[in-house]
Amino acid sequence: MNITHTRVITFSPTHTSLRVATAVARAWQDLPNDILDLTCRQLKSPIRLANDCLAIVSVPVYAGRVAPLALTRLKNVLGDATPAILIATYGNRDYEDALVELRDVLTTQGFLPLAAGAFIGEHSYSRPGMPIAEGRPDAEDCAKAEAFGREARRKGESVGTLTPFFIKGNVPYRTVGTPTPQAPVWQEDDCTGCGTCINSCPTMSIRMTDDGEVLTEPSTCIKCCACVKSCPTGALTFDTPYTAMLHAKCSARREPELFL
Ligand SMILES: Cc1cc2nc3c(=O)[nH]c(=O)nc-3n(C[C@H](O)[C@H](O)[C@H](O)COP(=O)(O)O)c2cc1C
């Protein structure tokens, strides 16, 4: 394999998938690198990555699968026997079938998996007083991500042809029910009207009325909590019983799982 440059490709509403991918990419910091962030962007026409590019594809886990909008955004990213590192970032509960799903989708789109990893990121529903994997990926996770990148690089340099390898997860993938529409709650008294929430929303579901009221369209909200976490004054919250449940049941620290 002759890699001349790397490209991080991500969908990452609360930035944890992006941070993990950036740490993995450090293993190739002697080569040119760029980032294709699809969080708030749908490519209008397909791009095809050549096989001298290493793709580092990092997406969040929603309900044990790849976040659906990440798959939609990835549809226009094609490979041409392009090596890829696959990363699923999850909120310390479980990643179930997300990594095998990512493998299958990217393989169909022309990529050749080189390595895969499940990493832990602060849960989208984590909040002050009820933390879930708060602050992750932390320095230890990022060091592991970089070491994983170095190991993947060694593998890429030592094998002539990439062949399938074990990745944890099941096919058929777990079934996910239809989500119930819900949107974050806005507290007028805490809002400064800065508009950060509007710009952070991957589905453009948030708008501000002429009176300064912030409204979110529940039917298109994907509950990613980008708006909640980007609000500088905490004026948005996402109320779900999952927060307390995950805080109670998923507090034991999980560690990254790596497949090469
Ligand atoms: C709708 C939704 C479903 C989620 N499902 C899971 C899950 O099944 N398992 C898990 O551990 N974390 C789950 N999470 C948490 C995210 O995977 C986690 O916070 C991830 O780090 C978010 O990535 P991002 O920062 O790149 O957006 C879910 C989050 C959301 C918003």
Side-chain angles (χ1 to χ4, degrees), residues 12-17 60-61 63-64 90-91 93-94 122-124 223:
S12 185
T14 62
H15 312 303
T16 61
S17 306
V61 175
Y90 70 102
R93 188 190 66 75
D94 204 348
E122 177 170 315
H123 202 291
S124 320
K223 308 175 187 178

Side-chain angles (χ1 to χ4, degrees), residues 5-11 17-18 20-28 33-36 49 53-59 74 82-87 102 106 111 114-115 148-149:
H5 60 290
T6 64
R7 178 172 269 198
V8 165
I9 301 162
T10 191
F11 170 85
S17 306
L18 172 64
V20 172
T22 307
V24 172
R26 272 190 221 121
W28 282 268
N33 167 258
D34 64 11
I35 298 177
L36 175 59
L49 275 55
C53 173
L54 172 75
I56 301 169
V57 183
S58 188
V59 293
L74 283 171
T82 308
I85 297 187
L86 324 178
I87 301 165
L102 185 62
L106 290 180
F111 292 89
L114 165 64
F148 166 61

Side-chain angles (χ1 to χ4, degrees), residues 65-81:
R65 301 274 301 271
V66 176
L69 190 55
L71 292 179
T72 307
R73 296 277 157 92
L74 283 171
K75 280 214 163 74
N76 269 345
V77 183
L78 306 175
D80 183 10

Side-chain angles (χ1 to χ4, degrees), residues 124-128 182-201 205-208 212-217 221 224-240:
S124 320
Y125 298 158
S126 176
R127 60 159 80 163
Q182 194 187 335
V185 176
W186 174 67
Q187 294 294 338
E188 182 172 10
D189 291 349
D190 296 326
C191 181
T192 61
C194 69
T196 305
C197 54
I198 295 171
N199 296 327
S200 74
C201 179
S205 297
I206 310 177
R207 67 187 176 91
M208 196 182 293
E213 193 184 353
V214 171
L215 298 175
T216 305
E217 174 50 51
C221 172
C224 67
C225 295
C227 56
V228 174
K229 297 218 176 176
S230 66
C231 175
T233 55
L236 288 158
T237 46
F238 192 79
D239 278 326
T240 161

Side-chain angles (χ1 to χ4, degrees), residues 151-179:
E151 210 181 324
R153 185 171 185 168
R154 273 193 296 277
K155 176 182 171 185
E157 286 168 356
S158 64
V159 297
T161 319
L162 291 177
T163 49
F165 56 94
F166 172 77
I167 297 176
K168 198 170 102 183
N170 295 304
V171 181
Y173 319 128
R174 74 199 300 257
T175 19
V176 179
T178 313

